[in-house]
Amino acid sequence: SASGGFEVANSARFDGAYHLVRSKGASETGLTKGTFSLWVKRTNIDGTQHFLYSNTVADSNNRGYFSWRADEKLRILTSTNNSSELVLESTQLFRDPSAWYHIVYSIDTTQGTAANRCILYINGTRVTAFDTATYMDQNSQCDIFEGGQTNKEYIGGMTGDTSNLHSYLAEYVYIDGLALAADQFGEFDEDSGIWKPIDVSDLTFGNEGFYLDFQTSAELGDDVSGNTNDFTESNLTAVHQSTDTCTNNFCTINPLDNESGNITITEGNLNFKVTGNADETNRGTFGFTKGKWNFESKYIDDTTYVDVGVGSASDTDIATPRSHMEMAGYYMIQLDSSNPGVRAFDNGSAGSGLGNSAEDDIHMYAIDMDNNKFYAGRNGTWYASGDPAGNANPLITMDDGYTTLMP
């Protein structure tokens, strides 16, 4: 993420059976123009279509939505009487769980040129390549904007469908009655060239417009546009508020590293669970070769052991992790309540016991790539009198080389 400028404090984490819903009013500013803008980071990329937004008018034959398709492409559709009027399906694939994407759909059916009636921007750049491109007739009214219906508008799901969203969402904006370009919501950083968000609070949102910044943990559907077009939370609580945002991107467990299928990753790629009695592993989404890094893990099941640390990014064989993780180039601690506690691994050797680890312990890890030092600790205290800030007493002195986070 680009640093400096406007900072986004919070996102909301959607993990399947969660969504936001409201009864959309009938006082639309317009039915021919509107703009959606949102930042999204994918989590579960499992071949199921996940809905980023939907609005159903009367029944499922009259609706509009946009979603991740099962083939990892982006789709927007509106239909009336079960006849599709607008369909855009991207050629581009969206399958990077480490990246925040900015999506803007700008719709203006009054345009004379068909391709200008729905414009898609990804990270500030207009998309022109589509697998399918069907545009509405000029001056058509768009179901995705229509209010006053019996059913609801959803974020993270759709009426009568269980393909709910698995993603982080931030800076979610709907502009009612205006078709805006992406530069009303973001800009390219002058130093890095990275597309980044800008403050949108002064935009004109229109009667049914909304702005969700997800900063109120008890009410993640709170509209801060001034319209009070608030959404009701379904299964979303304060725990689903996150500080992983488009200006502060976090490392998570990488679901693309899951080779065996014996691993279940949930809660925004933060919870790792192995099914069966096999040794399995996943690496994180961040790799690094220099600098100072830290992360934490919570030990939530003390009936087994878990190795957590850093390891070689060049080792592509993770199907048999234990045999690799105890080789040179891997540095970790073993969280184990019975064997006889926490042990440190360094080039295949198990260090002395560091005390029993208990359920709900928080373990800390600090990696100093500039000085090749690995620190670990528990519940606020570093093992072996470690002092990462003072560059003293590392638990392990690492070899030179490339590493990647291994939550």
Side-chain angles (χ1 to χ4, degrees), residues 55 149 188 190 215 295 305 330 350-351 396:
N55 185 41
Q149 67 273 19
F188 290 103
E190 61 182 10
Q215 290 191 30
F295 64 100
Y305 60 79
Y330 289 86
I396 298 171

Side-chain angles (χ1 to χ4, degrees), residues 61-81:
N61 294 326
N62 299 270
R63 64 185 180 183
Y65 66 80
F66 50 95
S67 67
W68 301 123
R69 283 170 46 93
D71 58 6
E72 300 169 353
K73 298 177 181 179
L74 192 60
R75 183 189 206 196
I76 184 172
L77 177 146
T78 68
S79 65
T80 299
N81 296 326

Side-chain angles (χ1 to χ4, degrees), residues 150-384:
T150 301
N151 291 309
K152 310 291 195 298
E153 64 174 336
Y154 281 77
I155 292 174
M158 187 168 71
T159 301
D161 197 289
T162 59
S163 301
N164 289 354
L165 184 66
H166 293 261
S167 293
Y168 293 86
L169 294 178
E171 292 292 286
Y172 204 120
V173 176
Y174 168 51
I175 303 295
D176 176 15
L178 293 173
L180 303 182
D183 61 6
Q184 298 298 300
F185 307 96
E187 64 183 3
F188 290 103
D189 185 80
E190 61 182 10
D191 295 322
S192 67
I194 295 174
W195 183 253
K196 63 182 184 180
I198 60 175
D199 189 353
V200 299
S201 60
D202 290 334
L203 292 176
T204 300
F205 294 90
N207 293 339
E208 292 297 324
F210 56 80
Y211 172 23
L212 307 182
D213 64 2
F214 306 114
Q215 290 191 30
T216 303
S217 61
E219 297 179 355
L220 292 174
D222 186 30
D223 169 29
V224 297
S225 71
N227 286 337
T228 64
N229 290 327
D230 297 341
F231 284 74
T232 299
E233 300 82 15
S234 177
N235 295 326
L236 286 164
T237 66
V239 75
H240 299 106
Q241 185 188 58
S242 176
T243 53
D244 187 340
T245 74
C246 44
T247 59
N248 189 21
N249 190 20
F250 280 28
C251 176
T252 65
I253 301 168
N254 188 352
L256 303 182
D257 227 9
N258 188 349
E259 291 186 346
S260 69
N262 295 324
I263 301 168
T264 301
I265 304 172
T266 57
E267 298 182 23
N269 294 342
L270 299 177
N271 185 295
F272 174 95
K273 182 178 180 180
V274 176
T275 58
N277 191 29
D279 288 333
E280 306 286 354
T281 194
N282 264 85
R283 285 169 289 200
T285 53
F286 286 5
F288 51 87
T289 61
K290 60 184 179 180
K292 298 181 180 181
W293 303 75
N294 70 279
F295 64 100
E296 293 181 344
S297 66
K298 183 178 182 179
Y299 187 36
I300 60 175
D301 184 354
D302 63 0
T303 64
T304 184
Y305 60 79
V306 182
D307 297 324
V308 186
V310 293
S312 172
S314 62
D315 187 355
T316 58
D317 181 8
I318 61 167
T320 53
R322 288 269 322 156
S323 62
H324 287 266
M325 290 170 69
E326 295 180 11
M327 293 168 55
Y330 289 86
Y331 309 96
M332 70 207 74
I333 61 173
Q334 183 183 89
L335 312 185
D336 189 348
S337 62
S338 60
N339 195 29
V342 177
R343 298 184 294 167
F345 284 97
D346 173 16
N347 294 342
S349 300
S352 59
L354 299 172
N356 290 343
S357 187
E359 189 171 303
D360 294 331
D361 275 354
I362 302 295
H363 281 85
M364 316 171 296
Y365 312 85
I367 301 95
D368 183 348
M369 291 298 296
D370 299 329
N371 297 291
N372 296 324
K373 296 179 179 180
F374 175 88
Y375 301 84
R378 180 177 58 193
N379 299 332
T381 300
W382 295 102
Y383 294 128

